[in-house]
Amino acid sequence: MRSILALAGALLLCAVPTLGAQNPSESPHDLVKDVVYNELQERRQVSLWQYRVNKRVGSQTTVEQEVETLSGPVYRVLERQGKPLDPAAQKKESERLHNLMHNSGEQARMKQEAEADEQRVQRMVAAMPDAFICSYAGETGGNLRLSFKPNPAYNPANYEARVFHALSGELWIQPQQKRLLRIDAHIDNEIDFGFGFLGKIEKGGNFQINRDLIGGVRWKTTLLNVHLSGRVIFFKSINKNQDVARSAFQPVPANTTVEDAVALLEKESTP
C-alpha cells in the first residue's frame, strides 16, 4: 500500500497567499512544489500511530488493528468476512505476533522493507512537480481542485515512475495549510514493460486516496481504493483490487518497538 499509490503523503503547514475562487495568486506548479516540500519536511519527523483498518482484497474482507513502530507497522486481525475471529483463529494471531516479537531476523527484514518503501515514496513525491502538468479546476468547500496529466517532457527513471507518470486525474488541496486532501486518478493508456513480457497495466485502472488531519498538524491516509487490471509483477506491495479505510487514530510513543506493539495489540484484544 505504501508503494506508488501511497505517494500522496502528508503535507506540512505553510501560509498561502490570498486565493480567489477563480484566480488563485499562486501558479498550480508552485502550489504543487509547496505541497511536495511540506510533505517531505513532515516525513522527516517521527510520528507513530495506531488505528483500525477495514480492508477488502478481492472478495476477502478483514478488520485489523495496526500499530506503527520504528521497524514498520504491526497488525492483528480482529475480524474476517464480517465475523470476529473464533478462539482458534485468535490463538493463531497471538502465536504469529509472539513469533514476530522473538524473531530478530524478521524484524530486521520488516524494518528494511519499511525503509525501502519510505525512500520510494519520497522519490515519487519529489518528482510530482516535474512529472505532471497541473491546472486549476475550481474550488469546492473552500478547497482547491487541480487537474493533472502526464508531462510529456518528463523522463521516468524506472518502472514504478512509468506507472506514476501515466496517471491523470484531480488533486484536492487544503489551501491554508497546503495539504493534500484527495487524489482521484486513472490510467488512460495501457502500459507495457519489456514489450509486454515483463508485464502490463491495462487502461482504465483507477485509484482514490483521501487524507485527513488526525491531530495537531499530522495528516494520514484514511482511504485507499485501488482497481487495476493486468500483470503487475514488479510491485509486491500493491494489490490490484483493494479498498482500505483507516480510522480511530491514536498516537503511540515515538520510540514504540515491535515488542511494544505486540503488547498493546494483545492487551486491546483481551475481552
Side-chain angles (χ1 to χ4, degrees):
M1 187 190 307
R2 294 191 304 271
S3 190
I4 67 162
L5 302 183
L7 55 94
L11 315 166
L12 192 66
L13 289 172
C14 183
V16 69
T18 302
L19 294 166
Q22 300 300 323
N23 296 296
S25 60
E26 188 173 27
S27 74
H29 180 265
D30 287 344
L31 177 59
V32 172
K33 284 182 65 176
D34 287 344
V35 160
V36 167
Y37 173 81
N38 293 333
E39 155 72 4
L40 296 178
Q41 286 294 106
E42 180 169 330
R43 297 190 82 90
R44 296 189 180 100
Q45 305 174 30
V46 177
S47 178
L48 303 179
W49 299 77
Q50 67 165 319
Y51 39 83
R52 187 64 54 96
V53 181
N54 287 269
K55 183 185 300 184
R56 183 196 62 78
V57 178
S59 61
Q60 304 299 310
T61 64
T62 59
V63 176
E64 302 170 359
Q65 186 70 16
E66 188 164 294
V67 179
E68 296 175 340
T69 79
L70 293 172
S71 297
V74 177
Y75 71 92
R76 182 184 180 96
V77 177
L78 304 177
E79 298 180 12
R80 286 194 179 97
Q81 300 301 98
K83 296 181 180 180
L85 299 189
D86 60 29
Q90 291 183 37
K91 182 179 178 182
K92 285 185 178 181
E93 280 296 289
S94 293
E95 291 173 349
R96 178 181 62 80
L97 288 169
H98 280 270
N99 288 337
L100 173 63
M101 185 170 60
H102 297 295
N103 189 334
S104 58
E106 178 62 17
Q107 290 187 36
R109 184 203 63 76
M110 186 174 75
K111 183 175 182 179
Q112 183 179 29
E113 187 175 277
E115 290 175 348
D117 281 341
E118 177 61 24
Q119 292 171 5
R120 184 182 301 113
V121 170
Q122 290 194 30
R123 288 195 301 270
M124 293 190 175
V125 168
M128 287 179 70
D130 296 325
F132 300 113
I133 296 174
C134 298
S135 58
Y136 284 111
E139 182 178 315
T140 300
N143 300 311
L144 296 175
R145 303 196 326 272
L146 276 67
S147 295
F148 68 93
K149 61 183 180 181
N151 181 356
Y154 177 72
N155 184 25
N158 52 44
Y159 290 130
E160 290 175 334
R162 280 190 62 193
V163 179
F164 178 43
H165 182 233
L167 298 173
S168 60
E170 193 169 84
L171 306 174
W172 291 49
I173 293 174
Q174 203 279 355
Q176 284 73 36
Q177 297 185 15
K178 294 189 178 178
R179 306 301 293 255
L180 185 65
L181 294 172
R182 178 171 171 173
I183 294 181
D184 289 309
H186 49 271
I187 296 175
D188 290 325
N189 299 296
E190 183 178 284
I191 309 167
D192 285 328
F193 303 101
F195 301 100
F197 292 107
L198 299 178
K200 69 176 182 178
I201 299 177
E202 298 175 2
K203 63 181 294 186
N206 63 85
F207 78 92
Q208 178 185 345
I209 293 175
N210 287 359
R211 294 183 61 81
D212 289 290
L213 180 65
I214 60 171
V217 296
R218 296 296 177 180
W219 292 64
K220 283 285 193 179
T221 298
T222 54
L223 181 73
L224 172 62
N225 296 337
V226 182
H227 302 282
L228 300 176
S229 298
R231 295 186 299 116
V232 192
I233 64 176
F234 309 106
F235 313 125
K236 296 180 180 179
S237 62
I238 295 177
N239 186 284
K240 296 184 292 182
N241 184 18
Q242 68 176 12
D243 299 294
V244 179
R246 301 196 295 178
S247 61
F249 287 84
Q250 298 180 28
V252 297
N255 61 349
T256 297
T257 63
V258 170
E259 292 78 7
D260 296 331
V262 171
L264 182 58
L265 290 170
E266 289 289 83
K267 178 181 179 181
E268 293 193 353
S269 68
T270 302

Coordinates of all heavy atoms in Angstrom, one line a residue, residues 10-90:
A10 N 1.5 13.0 3.7 CA 1.1 14.2 4.5 C 1.9 15.4 4.0 O 3.1 15.3 3.6 CB 1.4 13.9 6.0
L11 N 1.4 16.6 4.2 CA 2.0 17.8 3.7 C 1.9 18.9 4.9 O 0.9 19.0 5.5 CB 1.3 18.3 2.5 CG 1.0 17.2 1.5 CD1 0.0 17.7 0.4 CD2 2.3 16.8 0.8
L12 N 3.0 19.6 5.1 CA 3.1 20.4 6.3 C 2.5 21.8 6.2 O 2.2 22.3 5.2 CB 4.6 20.6 6.7 CG 5.0 21.1 8.0 CD1 4.5 20.2 9.1 CD2 6.5 21.3 8.2
L13 N 2.4 22.5 7.4 CA 1.8 23.9 7.4 C 2.7 24.9 6.7 O 3.9 24.9 6.7 CB 1.8 24.3 8.9 CG 0.7 23.6 9.8 CD1 1.0 24.1 11.2 CD2 -0.7 24.0 9.3
C14 N 2.0 25.7 5.9 CA 2.6 26.8 5.3 C 1.6 27.9 4.8 O 0.6 27.5 4.2 CB 3.4 26.4 4.0 SG 4.3 27.7 3.2
A15 N 1.7 29.1 5.2 CA 0.7 30.1 4.8 C 0.7 30.2 3.3 O 1.7 30.2 2.6 CB 1.1 31.5 5.5
V16 N -0.5 30.5 2.8 CA -0.7 30.6 1.4 C -1.1 32.0 1.0 O -1.8 32.7 1.8 CB -1.8 29.6 0.9 CG1 -3.2 30.0 1.4 CG2 -1.8 29.5 -0.6
P17 N -0.7 32.6 -0.1 CA -1.2 33.9 -0.5 C -2.7 33.9 -0.6 O -3.4 32.9 -0.7 CB -0.5 34.1 -1.9 CG 0.6 33.2 -1.9 CD 0.2 32.0 -1.1
T18 N -3.3 35.1 -0.6 CA -4.8 35.2 -0.8 C -5.2 34.5 -2.1 O -4.7 34.7 -3.1 CB -5.2 36.7 -0.9 OG1 -4.7 37.3 0.3 CG2 -6.7 36.8 -1.0
L19 N -6.2 33.6 -1.9 CA -6.7 32.8 -3.1 C -8.1 33.2 -3.4 O -9.0 33.1 -2.6 CB -6.6 31.4 -2.7 CG -5.2 30.8 -2.5 CD1 -5.2 29.5 -1.8 CD2 -4.4 30.7 -3.8
G20 N -8.3 33.6 -4.7 CA -9.7 33.8 -5.1 C -10.2 32.5 -5.7 O -9.5 31.6 -6.0
A21 N -11.6 32.4 -5.7 CA -12.2 31.2 -6.2 C -11.8 30.9 -7.6 O -11.7 29.7 -8.0 CB -13.7 31.4 -6.0
Q22 N -11.7 31.9 -8.4 CA -11.4 31.7 -9.8 C -9.9 31.9 -10.2 O -9.4 31.4 -11.2 CB -12.3 32.5 -10.7 CG -13.8 32.3 -10.4 CD -14.2 30.8 -10.7 OE1 -13.7 30.2 -11.7 NE2 -15.1 30.3 -9.9
N23 N -9.3 32.8 -9.5 CA -7.9 33.2 -9.9 C -7.0 33.2 -8.7 O -6.6 34.2 -8.2 CB -8.0 34.6 -10.5 CG -8.8 34.7 -11.8 OD1 -8.4 34.1 -12.8 ND2 -9.9 35.5 -11.7
P24 N -6.6 32.0 -8.3 CA -5.6 31.9 -7.2 C -4.3 32.7 -7.6 O -3.9 32.7 -8.8 CB -5.3 30.4 -7.1 CG -6.6 29.8 -7.7 CD -7.0 30.7 -8.8
S25 N -3.6 33.3 -6.6 CA -2.5 34.1 -6.9 C -1.2 33.3 -7.1 O -0.2 33.8 -7.6 CB -2.3 35.1 -5.8 OG -2.0 34.4 -4.6
E26 N -1.2 32.0 -6.8 CA -0.1 31.1 -7.0 C -0.3 30.2 -8.2 O -1.4 29.6 -8.3 CB 0.1 30.3 -5.7 CG 1.4 29.6 -5.7 CD 1.7 28.9 -4.3 OE1 0.7 28.7 -3.6 OE2 2.8 28.7 -4.0
S27 N 0.7 30.0 -9.0 CA 0.5 29.1 -10.1 C 0.3 27.6 -9.6 O 0.8 27.3 -8.5 CB 1.8 29.1 -11.0 OG 2.9 28.5 -10.4
P28 N -0.4 26.8 -10.4 CA -0.5 25.4 -10.0 C 0.8 24.7 -9.7 O 0.9 23.9 -8.8 CB -1.3 24.8 -11.1 CG -2.0 25.9 -11.8 CD -1.1 27.1 -11.6
H29 N 1.8 25.0 -10.6 CA 3.1 24.3 -10.4 C 3.7 24.7 -9.1 O 4.3 23.9 -8.4 CB 4.0 24.7 -11.6 CG 5.4 24.1 -11.5 ND1 6.5 24.8 -11.0 CD2 5.8 22.9 -11.9 CE1 7.5 24.0 -11.1 NE2 7.2 22.8 -11.6
D30 N 3.7 26.0 -8.8 CA 4.3 26.5 -7.5 C 3.5 25.9 -6.3 O 4.2 25.6 -5.3 CB 4.3 28.0 -7.4 CG 5.3 28.6 -8.4 OD1 6.2 27.8 -8.8 OD2 5.3 29.8 -8.7
L31 N 2.2 25.8 -6.4 CA 1.4 25.2 -5.3 C 1.8 23.8 -5.1 O 2.0 23.3 -3.9 CB 0.0 25.3 -5.6 CG -1.0 24.7 -4.5 CD1 -0.8 25.4 -3.2 CD2 -2.4 24.8 -5.0
V32 N 1.9 23.0 -6.1 CA 2.3 21.6 -6.0 C 3.8 21.5 -5.4 O 4.0 20.6 -4.6 CB 2.2 20.9 -7.4 CG1 2.9 19.5 -7.3 CG2 0.8 20.8 -7.8
K33 N 4.7 22.4 -5.8 CA 6.0 22.4 -5.3 C 6.0 22.6 -3.8 O 6.7 22.0 -3.0 CB 6.9 23.5 -5.9 CG 7.3 23.1 -7.3 CD 8.2 24.2 -7.9 CE 9.5 24.4 -7.2 NZ 10.4 25.4 -7.8
D34 N 5.1 23.6 -3.3 CA 5.0 23.8 -1.9 C 4.4 22.6 -1.1 O 4.9 22.2 0.0 CB 4.1 25.0 -1.6 CG 4.7 26.3 -2.0 OD1 6.0 26.4 -2.1 OD2 4.0 27.3 -2.2
V35 N 3.4 22.0 -1.7 CA 2.8 20.8 -1.2 C 3.9 19.7 -1.0 O 4.0 19.0 0.0 CB 1.7 20.3 -2.0 CG1 1.3 18.8 -1.8 CG2 0.4 21.1 -1.8
V36 N 4.7 19.5 -2.0 CA 5.7 18.5 -2.0 C 6.8 18.8 -0.9 O 7.2 17.9 -0.2 CB 6.4 18.3 -3.4 CG1 7.7 17.5 -3.3 CG2 5.4 17.7 -4.4
Y37 N 7.2 20.1 -0.9 CA 8.1 20.5 0.2 C 7.6 20.2 1.6 O 8.3 19.6 2.4 CB 8.4 22.0 0.0 CG 9.2 22.5 1.2 CD1 10.6 22.4 1.2 CD2 8.6 23.2 2.3 CE1 11.4 22.9 2.2 CE2 9.4 23.6 3.3 CZ 10.8 23.5 3.3 OH 11.6 24.0 4.3
N38 N 6.3 20.5 1.8 CA 5.8 20.3 3.1 C 5.7 18.8 3.4 O 5.9 18.3 4.6 CB 4.4 20.9 3.2 CG 4.4 22.4 3.1 OD1 5.4 23.0 3.5 ND2 3.4 23.0 2.6
E39 N 5.3 18.0 2.4 CA 5.3 16.5 2.6 C 6.6 16.0 3.0 O 6.7 15.2 4.0 CB 4.9 15.9 1.3 CG 5.3 14.4 1.0 CD 4.6 13.4 1.9 OE1 3.7 13.8 2.6 OE2 5.0 12.3 1.8
L40 N 7.7 16.4 2.3 CA 9.0 15.8 2.6 C 9.5 16.3 4.0 O 10.2 15.6 4.7 CB 10.0 16.2 1.5 CG 9.6 15.6 0.1 CD1 10.6 16.1 -0.9 CD2 9.6 14.1 0.2
Q41 N 9.2 17.5 4.3 CA 9.5 18.1 5.7 C 8.9 17.2 6.8 O 9.6 16.9 7.7 CB 9.1 19.5 5.8 CG 10.0 20.5 5.0 CD 11.4 20.5 5.5 OE1 12.3 20.0 4.9 NE2 11.6 21.1 6.7
E42 N 7.6 17.0 6.6 CA 6.9 16.2 7.7 C 7.4 14.8 7.8 O 7.5 14.2 8.9 CB 5.4 16.3 7.5 CG 4.7 15.5 8.6 CD 3.2 15.7 8.7 OE1 2.8 16.8 8.3 OE2 2.5 14.8 9.1
R43 N 7.7 14.2 6.7 CA 8.1 12.8 6.7 C 9.5 12.6 7.4 O 9.8 11.4 7.7 CB 8.2 12.2 5.3 CG 6.9 12.2 4.6 CD 6.9 11.5 3.3 NE 6.8 10.1 3.5 CZ 5.6 9.4 3.5 NH1 4.5 10.1 3.4 NH2 5.5 8.1 3.7
R44 N 10.2 13.7 7.6 CA 11.5 13.6 8.4 C 11.2 13.5 9.9 O 12.2 13.3 10.7 CB 12.4 14.7 8.0 CG 12.8 14.7 6.6 CD 13.9 15.8 6.3 NE 14.3 15.8 4.9 CZ 13.9 16.7 4.0 NH1 13.0 17.6 4.4 NH2 14.3 16.6 2.8
Q45 N 10.0 13.8 10.3 CA 9.7 13.8 11.7 C 9.0 12.4 12.1 O 8.1 12.0 11.5 CB 8.8 14.9 12.1 CG 9.4 16.3 11.6 CD 8.4 17.4 11.9 OE1 7.5 17.4 12.8 NE2 8.4 18.4 11.0
V46 N 9.5 11.8 13.2 CA 8.9 10.6 13.7 C 7.6 10.8 14.3 O 7.5 11.6 15.3 CB 9.9 9.9 14.6 CG1 9.2 8.6 15.2 CG2 11.2 9.5 13.9
S47 N 6.5 10.2 13.9 CA 5.2 10.3 14.4 C 4.5 9.0 14.2 O 4.2 8.6 13.1 CB 4.4 11.5 13.8 OG 3.1 11.5 14.3
L48 N 4.3 8.2 15.3 CA 3.7 6.9 15.2 C 2.3 6.9 15.8 O 2.0 7.6 16.7 CB 4.6 5.9 16.0 CG 6.1 5.9 15.6 CD1 6.8 4.9 16.4 CD2 6.2 5.5 14.1
W49 N 1.5 6.0 15.2 CA 0.0 6.0 15.5 C -0.5 4.5 15.5 O 0.1 3.6 14.8 CB -0.8 6.8 14.5 CG -0.4 8.2 14.5 CD1 0.7 8.8 13.9 CD2 -1.1 9.3 15.1 NE1 0.7 10.1 14.1 CE2 -0.4 10.5 14.8 CE3 -2.3 9.4 15.8 CZ2 -0.8 11.7 15.3 CZ3 -2.7 10.6 16.3 CH2 -1.9 11.8 16.0
Q50 N -1.6 4.3 16.1 CA -2.3 3.1 16.0 C -3.7 3.4 15.4 O -4.2 4.5 15.7 CB -2.4 2.3 17.3 CG -3.3 3.0 18.4 CD -3.6 2.0 19.5 OE1 -4.0 0.8 19.2 NE2 -3.6 2.4 20.7
Y51 N -4.3 2.5 14.7 CA -5.6 2.8 14.1 C -6.3 1.5 13.7 O -5.7 0.4 13.7 CB -5.4 3.7 12.8 CG -4.2 3.3 12.1 CD1 -4.2 2.3 11.1 CD2 -3.0 4.0 12.3 CE1 -3.1 1.9 10.4 CE2 -1.8 3.7 11.6 CZ -1.9 2.6 10.6 OH -0.7 2.3 9.9
R52 N -7.6 1.6 13.4 CA -8.4 0.5 12.9 C -8.4 0.5 11.3 O -8.4 1.5 10.7 CB -9.8 0.6 13.4 CG -10.8 -0.6 13.1 CD -10.3 -1.9 13.8 NE -10.1 -1.7 15.2 CZ -11.1 -2.1 16.1 NH1 -12.3 -2.5 15.7 NH2 -10.8 -1.9 17.4
V53 N -8.2 -0.7 10.8 CA -8.2 -0.9 9.3 C -9.3 -1.8 8.9 O -9.4 -3.0 9.3 CB -6.8 -1.5 8.9 CG1 -6.8 -1.6 7.3 CG2 -5.6 -0.7 9.4
N54 N -10.2 -1.3 8.0 CA -11.2 -2.1 7.3 C -10.7 -2.3 5.9 O -10.5 -1.4 5.1 CB -12.5 -1.4 7.3 CG -13.2 -1.4 8.7 OD1 -13.9 -2.3 9.0 ND2 -12.8 -0.4 9.5
K55 N -10.5 -3.6 5.5 CA -9.8 -3.9 4.3 C -10.6 -4.9 3.5 O -11.2 -5.9 4.0 CB -8.4 -4.5 4.6 CG -7.6 -4.8 3.3 CD -6.3 -5.5 3.7 CE -5.5 -4.6 4.7 NZ -4.1 -5.2 4.9
R56 N -10.7 -4.7 2.2 CA -11.2 -5.6 1.2 C -10.2 -5.9 0.2 O -9.8 -5.0 -0.5 CB -12.5 -5.2 0.6 CG -13.2 -6.2 -0.3 CD -14.2 -5.6 -1.3 NE -13.6 -4.6 -2.2 CZ -12.9 -4.9 -3.3 NH1 -12.7 -6.2 -3.6 NH2 -12.4 -4.0 -4.0
V57 N -9.8 -7.1 0.0 CA -8.8 -7.5 -1.0 C -9.5 -8.6 -1.8 O -9.7 -9.7 -1.3 CB -7.5 -8.0 -0.4 CG1 -6.5 -8.4 -1.5 CG2 -6.8 -6.9 0.4
G58 N -9.9 -8.3 -3.1 CA -10.7 -9.2 -3.8 C -12.0 -9.4 -3.2 O -12.7 -8.5 -2.9
S59 N -12.3 -10.7 -2.8 CA -13.6 -11.0 -2.2 C -13.4 -11.1 -0.7 O -14.4 -11.4 0.1 CB -14.2 -12.2 -2.8 OG -13.4 -13.3 -2.6
Q60 N -12.2 -11.0 -0.2 CA -11.9 -11.2 1.2 C -11.9 -9.9 2.0 O -11.3 -8.9 1.6 CB -10.5 -11.9 1.4 CG -10.3 -13.2 0.6 CD -11.3 -14.2 1.1 OE1 -11.5 -14.5 2.3 NE2 -12.0 -14.8 0.1
T61 N -12.6 -9.9 3.2 CA -12.7 -8.7 4.0 C -12.1 -9.0 5.4 O -12.3 -10.1 5.9 CB -14.1 -8.2 4.2 OG1 -14.9 -9.2 4.8 CG2 -14.7 -7.9 2.8
T62 N -11.4 -8.0 5.9 CA -10.8 -8.2 7.3 C -11.0 -6.8 8.0 O -11.1 -5.8 7.4 CB -9.3 -8.6 7.3 OG1 -8.6 -7.6 6.5 CG2 -9.1 -10.0 6.7
V63 N -11.0 -6.9 9.3 CA -10.8 -5.8 10.2 C -9.6 -6.0 11.0 O -9.4 -7.1 11.6 CB -12.0 -5.6 11.1 CG1 -11.8 -4.4 12.1 CG2 -13.3 -5.3 10.3
E64 N -8.6 -5.0 11.0 CA -7.4 -5.2 11.7 C -7.1 -4.0 12.6 O -7.6 -2.9 12.4 CB -6.2 -5.3 10.7 CG -6.4 -6.5 9.8 CD -5.3 -6.4 8.6 OE1 -4.5 -5.5 8.6 OE2 -5.4 -7.3 7.8
Q65 N -6.4 -4.2 13.7 CA -5.8 -3.1 14.4 C -4.3 -3.1 14.1 O -3.6 -4.1 14.2 CB -6.0 -3.4 15.9 CG -5.6 -2.2 16.8 CD -6.5 -1.0 16.7 OE1 -7.6 -1.1 16.2 NE2 -6.1 0.1 17.2
E66 N -3.8 -1.9 13.8 CA -2.4 -1.7 13.3 C -1.7 -0.7 14.2 O -2.3 0.3 14.6 CB -2.4 -1.3 11.9 CG -1.0 -1.3 11.3 CD -1.0 -1.3 9.7 OE1 -1.5 -2.3 9.1 OE2 -0.6 -0.2 9.2
V67 N -0.5 -1.0 14.6 CA 0.3 -0.1 15.4 C 1.6 0.1 14.6 O 2.3 -0.8 14.2 CB 0.7 -0.7 16.8 CG1 1.5 0.2 17.6 CG2 -0.6 -1.1 17.5
E68 N 1.9 1.4 14.4 CA 3.2 1.8 13.8 C 4.3 1.7 14.8 O 4.2 2.1 15.9 CB 3.1 3.2 13.2 CG 2.0 3.3 12.1 CD 1.9 4.7 11.6 OE1 2.2 5.7 12.4 OE2 1.3 4.9 10.5
T69 N 5.5 1.2 14.3 CA 6.7 1.1 15.2 C 7.9 1.6 14.4 O 7.8 1.9 13.2 CB 7.0 -0.4 15.6 OG1 7.6 -1.1 14.5 CG2 5.7 -1.1 15.9
L70 N 9.0 1.7 15.1 CA 10.2 2.1 14.5 C 10.7 1.2 13.4 O 11.5 1.5 12.5 CB 11.3 2.3 15.5 CG 11.1 3.4 16.5 CD1 12.1 3.4 17.6 CD2 11.1 4.8 15.8
S71 N 10.2 -0.1 13.4 CA 10.6 -1.1 12.4 C 9.5 -1.3 11.4 O 9.6 -2.2 10.6 CB 10.9 -2.4 13.1 OG 12.0 -2.3 14.0
G72 N 8.4 -0.5 11.4 CA 7.3 -0.7 10.5 C 6.0 -1.1 11.2 O 6.0 -1.3 12.4
P73 N 4.9 -1.2 10.5 CA 3.6 -1.4 11.1 C 3.5 -2.9 11.5 O 3.9 -3.8 10.9 CB 2.6 -1.1 10.0 CG 3.4 -1.3 8.8 CD 4.8 -0.9 9.1
V74 N 2.8 -3.1 12.7 CA 2.5 -4.4 13.2 C 1.0 -4.5 13.3 O 0.3 -3.5 13.9 CB 3.1 -4.7 14.6 CG1 2.7 -6.0 15.1 CG2 4.7 -4.6 14.4
Y75 N 0.3 -5.6 12.9 CA -1.1 -5.6 12.9 C -1.6 -6.9 13.5 O -0.9 -7.9 13.6 CB -1.7 -5.5 11.5 CG -1.4 -6.8 10.6 CD1 -2.4 -7.8 10.6 CD2 -0.2 -6.9 9.9 CE1 -2.1 -8.9 9.8 CE2 0.0 -8.1 9.2 CZ -0.9 -9.1 9.2 OH -0.7 -10.2 8.5
R76 N -2.9 -6.9 14.0 CA -3.6 -8.0 14.5 C -4.9 -8.1 13.8 O -5.7 -7.1 13.8 CB -3.7 -8.0 16.0 CG -4.4 -9.3 16.5 CD -4.7 -9.2 18.0 NE -5.4 -10.4 18.5 CZ -4.7 -11.4 19.1 NH1 -3.4 -11.3 19.2 NH2 -5.4 -12.5 19.4
V77 N -5.3 -9.2 13.2 CA -6.6 -9.4 12.6 C -7.6 -9.6 13.7 O -7.5 -10.4 14.6 CB -6.6 -10.6 11.6 CG1 -8.0 -10.8 11.0 CG2 -5.6 -10.4 10.5
L78 N -8.7 -8.8 13.6 CA -9.8 -8.9 14.5 C -11.1 -9.6 14.0 O -11.8 -10.3 14.7 CB -10.2 -7.5 15.0 CG -9.1 -6.7 15.6 CD1 -9.6 -5.3 16.0 CD2 -8.5 -7.3 16.8
E79 N -11.3 -9.4 12.7 CA -12.5 -10.0 12.0 C -12.1 -10.5 10.6 O -11.2 -9.9 10.0 CB -13.6 -9.0 11.9 CG -14.2 -8.4 13.2 CD -15.3 -7.5 13.0 OE1 -15.8 -7.4 11.8 OE2 -15.7 -6.8 14.0
R80 N -12.8 -11.5 10.2 CA -12.7 -11.9 8.8 C -14.1 -12.2 8.2 O -15.0 -12.8 8.9 CB -11.9 -13.2 8.6 CG -10.4 -13.0 8.8 CD -9.6 -14.3 8.3 NE -8.2 -14.1 8.4 CZ -7.5 -14.5 9.5 NH1 -8.1 -15.2 10.4 NH2 -6.2 -14.3 9.5
Q81 N -14.4 -11.6 7.0 CA -15.7 -11.8 6.4 C -16.8 -11.3 7.3 O -17.9 -12.0 7.4 CB -15.9 -13.2 6.0 CG -14.9 -13.8 5.0 CD -14.8 -13.0 3.7 OE1 -13.9 -12.1 3.5 NE2 -15.7 -13.2 2.8
G82 N -16.6 -10.3 8.0 CA -17.6 -9.7 8.9 C -17.9 -10.3 10.2 O -18.8 -10.0 10.9
K83 N -17.0 -11.3 10.6 CA -17.2 -12.0 11.8 C -16.0 -12.0 12.7 O -14.9 -12.1 12.1 CB -17.6 -13.5 11.5 CG -19.0 -13.7 10.8 CD -19.3 -15.1 10.6 CE -20.6 -15.3 9.9 NZ -20.9 -16.7 9.6
P84 N -16.1 -11.8 14.0 CA -15.0 -11.8 14.9 C -14.3 -13.2 14.8 O -14.9 -14.2 14.5 CB -15.5 -11.6 16.3 CG -16.9 -11.0 16.0 CD -17.4 -11.5 14.7
L85 N -13.0 -13.2 15.0 CA -12.2 -14.5 14.9 C -12.7 -15.4 16.1 O -12.9 -14.9 17.2 CB -10.7 -14.2 15.1 CG -10.0 -13.3 14.0 CD1 -8.5 -13.4 14.2 CD2 -10.4 -13.8 12.6
D86 N -12.7 -16.7 15.7 CA -13.1 -17.6 16.8 C -11.8 -17.9 17.6 O -10.7 -17.4 17.3 CB -13.6 -18.9 16.2 CG -12.6 -19.6 15.2 OD1 -11.4 -19.4 15.4 OD2 -13.0 -20.3 14.3
P87 N -12.0 -18.6 18.8 CA -10.8 -18.8 19.7 C -9.6 -19.4 19.0 O -8.5 -19.0 19.3 CB -11.4 -19.7 20.7 CG -12.8 -19.4 20.8 CD -13.2 -19.1 19.4
A88 N -9.8 -20.3 18.1 CA -8.6 -20.9 17.4 C -7.9 -19.9 16.5 O -6.7 -19.9 16.5 CB -9.1 -22.1 16.6
A89 N -8.6 -19.1 15.8 CA -8.0 -18.1 15.0 C -7.3 -17.0 15.8 O -6.3 -16.5 15.4 CB -9.1 -17.5 14.0
Q90 N -7.9 -16.7 16.9 CA -7.3 -15.7 17.8 C -6.0 -16.2 18.4 O -5.0 -15.5 18.5 CB -8.3 -15.4 19.0 CG -9.5 -14.6 18.6 CD -10.4 -14.3 19.8 OE1 -9.9 -14.0 20.9 NE2 -11.7 -14.3 19.6

